[in-house]
Amino acid sequence: MTVSIPTLTTERLTLRAPMMEDFAPYAAFCASPRSAGVGGPYSQTQSFTRLAALIGHWQLRGYGRWMVTDTATSEPLGVVGLFFPVGWPEPEIAWSVFDAGEGRGIAYEAALASRAYAYETLGWTTAVSCVLPDNTRSVALAERLGAVREGSFTHTDYGEMPIYRHPGPEAA
Protein backbone atom coordinates (compact mmCIF):
# COMPACT_ATOMS: atom_id res chain seq x y z
CA MET A 1 0.00 0.00 0.00
CA THR A 2 1.34 3.41 -0.94
CA VAL A 3 -0.06 6.35 0.97
CA SER A 4 -0.21 9.72 -0.71
CA ILE A 5 0.73 12.50 1.70
CA PRO A 6 -2.02 15.14 1.58
CA THR A 7 -1.30 18.85 1.51
CA LEU A 8 -3.02 21.09 4.05
CA THR A 9 -3.19 24.86 3.97
CA THR A 10 -3.93 27.46 6.59
CA GLU A 11 -4.04 31.22 6.40
CA ARG A 12 -0.23 31.47 6.21
CA LEU A 13 1.10 27.95 5.94
CA THR A 14 1.34 24.95 3.65
CA LEU A 15 1.75 21.55 5.29
CA ARG A 16 3.14 19.21 2.65
CA ALA A 17 5.22 16.10 2.08
CA PRO A 18 8.91 16.45 2.97
CA MET A 19 11.17 16.81 -0.09
CA MET A 20 14.91 16.59 -0.68
CA GLU A 21 14.95 20.39 -1.00
CA ASP A 22 14.04 20.51 2.70
CA PHE A 23 17.17 18.64 3.75
CA ALA A 24 19.46 21.65 4.37
CA PRO A 25 17.05 23.51 6.70
CA TYR A 26 15.99 20.25 8.36
CA ALA A 27 19.62 19.18 8.91
CA ALA A 28 20.43 22.65 10.31
CA PHE A 29 17.58 22.23 12.82
CA CYS A 30 18.71 18.69 13.68
CA ALA A 31 22.31 19.86 14.28
CA SER A 32 21.22 22.76 16.50
CA PRO A 33 20.44 22.86 20.21
CA ARG A 34 16.77 23.35 19.21
CA SER A 35 16.64 19.63 18.40
CA ALA A 36 17.30 18.64 22.03
CA GLY A 37 13.52 18.36 22.48
CA VAL A 38 13.50 15.50 19.96
CA GLY A 39 16.67 13.75 21.10
CA GLY A 40 19.24 15.80 19.14
CA PRO A 41 21.54 17.21 18.11
CA TYR A 42 22.04 14.87 15.17
CA SER A 43 24.72 14.42 12.50
CA GLN A 44 24.01 14.99 8.79
CA THR A 45 23.68 11.23 8.28
CA GLN A 46 21.25 10.92 11.17
CA SER A 47 19.33 13.96 9.90
CA PHE A 48 18.86 12.34 6.49
CA THR A 49 17.60 9.14 8.11
CA ARG A 50 15.17 11.18 10.23
CA LEU A 51 13.91 13.08 7.17
CA ALA A 52 13.35 9.79 5.34
CA ALA A 53 11.54 8.47 8.43
CA LEU A 54 9.05 11.35 8.19
CA ILE A 55 7.94 9.94 4.83
CA GLY A 56 8.15 6.33 6.01
CA HIS A 57 5.84 7.00 8.95
CA TRP A 58 3.09 7.94 6.47
CA GLN A 59 3.57 4.61 4.68
CA LEU A 60 3.55 2.55 7.89
CA ARG A 61 0.75 4.31 9.80
CA GLY A 62 -1.26 6.05 7.08
CA TYR A 63 -0.59 9.45 8.68
CA GLY A 64 2.42 11.43 9.80
CA ARG A 65 4.14 14.77 10.07
CA TRP A 66 4.27 17.41 7.39
CA MET A 67 6.97 19.83 6.39
CA VAL A 68 5.50 23.21 7.31
CA THR A 69 6.31 25.98 4.88
CA ASP A 70 5.47 29.64 4.51
CA THR A 71 2.88 29.69 1.72
CA ALA A 72 4.14 33.00 0.34
CA THR A 73 7.84 32.03 0.17
CA SER A 74 7.90 28.19 0.39
CA GLU A 75 10.51 28.52 3.16
CA PRO A 76 10.54 25.45 5.45
CA LEU A 77 9.63 26.51 8.99
CA GLY A 78 9.28 23.22 10.85
CA VAL A 79 7.81 19.76 11.04
CA VAL A 80 4.35 19.30 12.54
CA GLY A 81 1.77 16.56 12.46
CA LEU A 82 0.68 13.16 13.66
CA PHE A 83 3.21 10.78 15.18
CA PHE A 84 3.00 7.30 16.66
CA PRO A 85 6.37 5.57 16.87
CA VAL A 86 6.98 2.26 18.58
CA GLY A 87 7.19 2.80 22.34
CA TRP A 88 4.73 5.71 22.41
CA PRO A 89 1.57 5.29 24.51
CA GLU A 90 -0.77 6.43 21.70
CA PRO A 91 -0.83 8.67 18.61
CA GLU A 92 0.17 12.25 19.21
CA ILE A 93 0.27 15.69 17.67
CA ALA A 94 3.96 16.62 17.49
CA TRP A 95 5.85 19.75 16.47
CA SER A 96 9.37 20.99 15.87
CA VAL A 97 9.98 24.55 14.69
CA PHE A 98 13.08 25.75 12.86
CA ASP A 99 14.78 29.03 13.77
CA ALA A 100 12.96 30.80 10.90
CA GLY A 101 9.59 29.85 12.38
CA GLU A 102 10.27 30.73 16.01
CA GLY A 103 7.95 33.17 17.75
CA ARG A 104 5.49 33.46 14.85
CA GLY A 105 2.72 31.11 15.97
CA ILE A 106 3.77 28.58 13.32
CA ALA A 107 3.56 25.49 15.54
CA TYR A 108 0.19 26.58 16.93
CA GLU A 109 -1.35 27.17 13.50
CA ALA A 110 0.08 23.94 12.05
CA ALA A 111 -0.88 21.88 15.13
CA LEU A 112 -4.49 23.10 14.88
CA ALA A 113 -4.58 22.05 11.21
CA SER A 114 -3.04 18.67 12.11
CA ARG A 115 -5.55 18.09 14.90
CA ALA A 116 -8.44 19.00 12.61
CA TYR A 117 -7.12 16.51 10.04
CA ALA A 118 -6.84 13.79 12.71
CA TYR A 119 -10.39 14.37 13.92
CA GLU A 120 -12.20 15.23 10.68
CA THR A 121 -10.38 13.02 8.16
CA LEU A 122 -8.99 10.13 10.22
CA GLY A 123 -11.84 9.96 12.73
CA TRP A 124 -9.66 10.18 15.82
CA THR A 125 -11.63 10.81 19.00
CA THR A 126 -8.63 11.85 21.09
CA ALA A 127 -5.01 12.93 20.75
CA VAL A 128 -2.08 13.60 23.03
CA SER A 129 1.20 15.46 22.87
CA CYS A 130 4.23 14.04 24.70
CA VAL A 131 6.65 16.75 25.73
CA LEU A 132 9.99 16.61 27.50
CA PRO A 133 9.46 18.20 30.92
CA ASP A 134 12.14 20.88 30.48
CA ASN A 135 10.77 21.99 27.11
CA THR A 136 8.78 24.88 28.56
CA ARG A 137 7.85 26.36 25.16
CA SER A 138 6.28 23.09 24.03
CA VAL A 139 4.48 22.71 27.35
CA ALA A 140 3.08 26.23 26.88
CA LEU A 141 2.02 25.39 23.31
CA ALA A 142 0.27 22.18 24.40
CA GLU A 143 -1.64 24.19 27.00
CA ARG A 144 -2.46 26.94 24.45
CA LEU A 145 -3.93 24.19 22.25
CA GLY A 146 -6.21 23.29 25.17
CA ALA A 147 -4.32 20.13 26.13
CA VAL A 148 -4.26 19.20 29.83
CA ARG A 149 -1.53 17.23 31.58
CA GLU A 150 -2.65 13.66 32.12
CA GLY A 151 0.20 11.79 33.73
CA SER A 152 3.38 10.66 32.04
CA PHE A 153 5.14 7.68 30.55
CA THR A 154 8.74 6.54 30.55
CA HIS A 155 10.37 6.16 27.17
CA THR A 156 13.50 4.03 26.80
CA ASP A 157 15.43 6.81 24.99
CA TYR A 158 13.88 10.04 26.30
CA GLY A 159 13.07 9.12 29.91
CA GLU A 160 9.94 10.38 31.63
CA MET A 161 7.66 12.43 29.39
CA PRO A 162 4.51 14.23 30.48
CA ILE A 163 1.41 13.43 28.43
CA TYR A 164 -0.91 16.31 27.49
CA ARG A 165 -4.44 15.30 26.40
CA HIS A 166 -6.04 17.48 23.70
CA PRO A 167 -9.72 18.34 23.78
CA GLY A 168 -11.80 15.90 21.75
CA PRO A 169 -13.39 16.73 18.40
CA GLU A 170 -16.55 18.04 20.02
CA ALA A 171 -14.58 20.62 22.05
CA ALA A 172 -11.68 21.42 19.72
Side-chain angles (χ1 to χ4, degrees):
M1 167 180 90
T2 300
V3 175
S4 177
I5 301 174
T7 298
L8 307 181
T9 57
T10 68
E11 184 178 327
R12 303 177 296 157
L13 306 174
T14 300
L15 286 69
R16 59 158 174 76
M19 301 184 304
M20 191 60 205
E21 292 80 11
D22 301 321
F23 180 66
Y26 183 73
F29 163 77
C30 286
S32 76
R34 295 182 69 80
S35 70
V38 292
Y42 296 102
S43 69
Q44 286 247 323
T45 302
Q46 291 168 317
S47 298
F48 182 83
T49 300
R50 292 179 61 81
L51 183 64
L54 291 174
I55 297 165
H57 191 284
W58 281 94
Q59 300 310 311
L60 295 172
R61 296 281 193 199
Y63 56 83
R65 292 175 288 166
W66 291 271
M67 185 63 60
V68 178
T69 64
D70 182 304
T71 299
T73 66
S74 299
E75 178 182 16
L77 302 172
V79 175
V80 178
L82 312 175
F83 189 51
F84 189 26
V86 171
W88 238 238
E90 60 187 280
E92 79 160 324
I93 300 167
W95 50 81
S96 297
V97 178
F98 305 165
D99 283 339
E102 182 66 34
R104 297 172 47 192
I106 301 301
Y108 178 75
E109 190 173 327
L112 285 176
S114 299
R115 186 168 69 190
Y117 180 84
Y119 290 165
E120 296 165 13
T121 302
L122 300 178
W124 290 13
T125 58
T126 189
V128 299
S129 289
C130 303
V131 181
L132 291 173
D134 60 346
N135 191 341
T136 56
R137 292 189 67 115
S138 282
V139 168
L141 176 56
E143 292 173 347
R144 182 175 175 211
L145 289 163
V148 177
R149 182 153 180 192
E150 183 186 86
S152 62
F153 81 104
T154 302
H155 188 271
T156 56
D157 295 332
Y158 300 117
E160 185 169 342
M161 297 183 71
I163 298 171
Y164 287 82
R165 174 84 46 201
H166 289 265
E170 68 288 341

